[in-house]
Amino acid sequence: MPTARDVAKLAGTSNAVVSYVFNNGPRTVSAGTRERVLKAAKELDYKPNALARALSAGKTRSIGLIVPNIANTFFAELARAVEEAAASWGHLLLIGDSGSVQGQERQLLETFIERQIDSLILVSLLDEPDLKPAQAANLPVVALHPLPPGQQASSLSIDYAQAAFVATRHLIGEGYNSVGLLHGPLDAVGTRQHVSGFTRAVTGAPIAISRRASPISRAGAAEVTTEWLRAEDAPRAIYAATDEQAHGVLFAAYSSGIRVPEELAVISVDGTAASAYTVPPLSTIRQPTNAIARRAVELLVDPNQDKPLVTEVFDFELIVRKSSRA
């Protein structure tokens, strides 16, 4: 494998000059010398060490992404969108899966800091994540969910409370006389907003209401919903806080011999591609995943950004399919 020394020898210059050419400094190089170095590098098929170049500039050109569960279709789609956005800026994405374990989330954050990532995109398990290690390391963070006041990080998300309101009002508008909310754990990201929006939607409506909490997983949602559908407060329609939980609801209905939507209507939030291919197709609130991913990366790596902390709320789209139609 050719080295910088080989390029310098062929170009008739020094190793330092080769470094200046490929690192754009710190010293200037004449146009003629630069051309000789680039020509020699091309002839030798020389590839500079990207990590060494990055470290010499004090940057690794890498972004960390922490998600609760990469097997969750929404987080898989999100990771792909962030990776594509990072690559468009010439940055590498490192993905950490917390496995829905709070201690693992903290450990991943500390590991990323040790690996000297330049910035972090976070989907936390908690409504109030502990970002003190990032603050101590002066690591810029963008959270892809709402954050409480006082957190030293930017926040990009849809308005989950309004999404819950719109989805629940859709079910009420379809004429269902009892509506249930299936949300995540009480301290999970978004739960407070989903409960708030659902409560606002059902207030004053002449319907029965009920609530359940489940893990953010198909299996967990299926287990909770199976018991719920046998209970006295079994709802006629369910608003699930995530597509992943809605998949579990559909499975629970199927396993219980309950037809969707004839006997149980279902709607959820996320708008993953897979939601269009359930049986029946799932009604959902679609998040603008690609736009959020691009904005997150832009905030972290664009040299023209002033790097202030921002709180930005994105529009969402109600997708009505067969699972919720009366």
Side-chain angles (χ1 to χ4, degrees):
M1 180 180 294
T3 64
R5 185 185 300 274
D6 299 324
V7 175
K9 183 177 180 180
L10 183 60
T13 185
S14 66
N15 290 356
V17 170
V18 173
S19 175
Y20 300 154
V21 169
F22 283 99
N23 291 307
N24 293 315
R27 295 186 179 180
T28 58
V29 177
S30 68
T33 301
R34 176 180 292 274
E35 185 177 351
R36 292 203 316 273
V37 169
L38 294 176
K39 182 179 178 181
K42 184 177 181 180
E43 183 176 334
L44 293 171
D45 194 24
Y46 167 72
K47 301 291 191 301
N49 186 306
L51 179 59
R53 291 171 62 195
L55 291 175
S56 69
K59 297 288 184 180
T60 60
R61 297 181 69 82
S62 60
I63 301 172
L65 170 65
I66 298 178
V67 297
N69 181 5
I70 198 64
N72 181 316
T73 305
F74 174 72
F75 295 129
E77 291 185 4
L78 175 65
R80 174 179 290 177
V82 174
E83 185 169 29
E84 290 175 352
S88 71
W89 287 93
H91 281 61
L92 176 68
L93 182 68
L94 304 178
I95 302 173
D97 182 349
S98 68
S100 299
V101 178
Q102 185 177 344
Q104 178 72 359
E105 179 177 300
R106 173 71 178 238
Q107 184 176 354
L108 282 169
L109 174 56
E110 293 175 347
T111 299
F112 277 154
I113 292 171
E114 291 173 0
R115 296 295 177 92
Q116 299 183 1
I117 60 170
D118 295 335
S119 54
L120 177 71
I121 297 173
L122 173 67
V123 182
S124 179
L125 295 167
L126 300 176
D127 203 26
E128 298 189 22
D130 180 10
L131 299 179
K132 290 191 289 292
Q135 295 168 17
N138 198 29
L139 181 72
V141 177
V142 173
L144 302 189
H145 50 77
L147 289 175
Q151 288 278 21
Q152 295 301 304
S154 291
S155 169
L156 308 178
S157 72
I158 65 170
D159 184 338
Y160 290 116
Q162 184 63 17
F165 176 84
V166 170
T168 306
R169 291 304 299 183
H170 163 69
L171 295 176
I172 295 172
E174 290 291 311
Y176 300 119
N177 59 9
S178 64
V179 179
L181 166 62
L182 179 66
H183 54 72
L186 293 179
D187 61 348
V189 163
T191 293
R192 181 170 51 189
Q193 290 83 5
H194 287 292
V195 172
S196 172
F198 175 83
T199 301
R200 181 160 58 94
V202 300
T203 298
I207 60 172
I209 59 173
S210 54
R211 280 173 46 188
R212 293 291 190 278
S214 82
I216 309 296
S217 69
R218 300 185 188 194
E223 181 178 354
V224 168
T225 305
T226 298
E227 294 182 2
W228 193 8
L229 295 176
R230 296 170 182 162
E232 290 185 1
D233 63 345
R236 175 64 181 81
I238 291 177
Y239 163 58
T242 67
D243 280 4
E244 195 75 0
Q245 289 167 295
H247 285 290
V249 172
L250 292 175
F251 179 81
Y254 168 77
S255 300
S256 303
I258 295 174
R259 296 172 300 160
V260 177
E262 291 84 0
E263 297 171 283
L264 176 69
V266 184
I267 191 171
S268 61
V269 171
D270 279 338
T272 56
S275 66
Y277 300 97
T278 57
V279 180
L282 179 65
S283 294
T284 184
I285 297 285
R286 178 181 291 161
Q287 300 200 52
T289 306
N290 291 327
I292 291 174
R294 288 193 298 268
R295 180 58 175 154
V297 172
E298 179 184 56
L299 283 172
L300 294 171
V301 308
D302 186 353
N304 296 320
Q305 295 286 326
D306 293 332
K307 304 267 189 305
L309 297 182
V310 303
T311 299
E312 296 181 6
V313 179
F314 288 71
D315 291 334
F316 57 79
E317 181 182 6
L318 171 64
I319 309 295
V320 179
R321 300 191 179 108
K322 187 176 180 180
S323 71
S324 68
R325 288 200 174 106

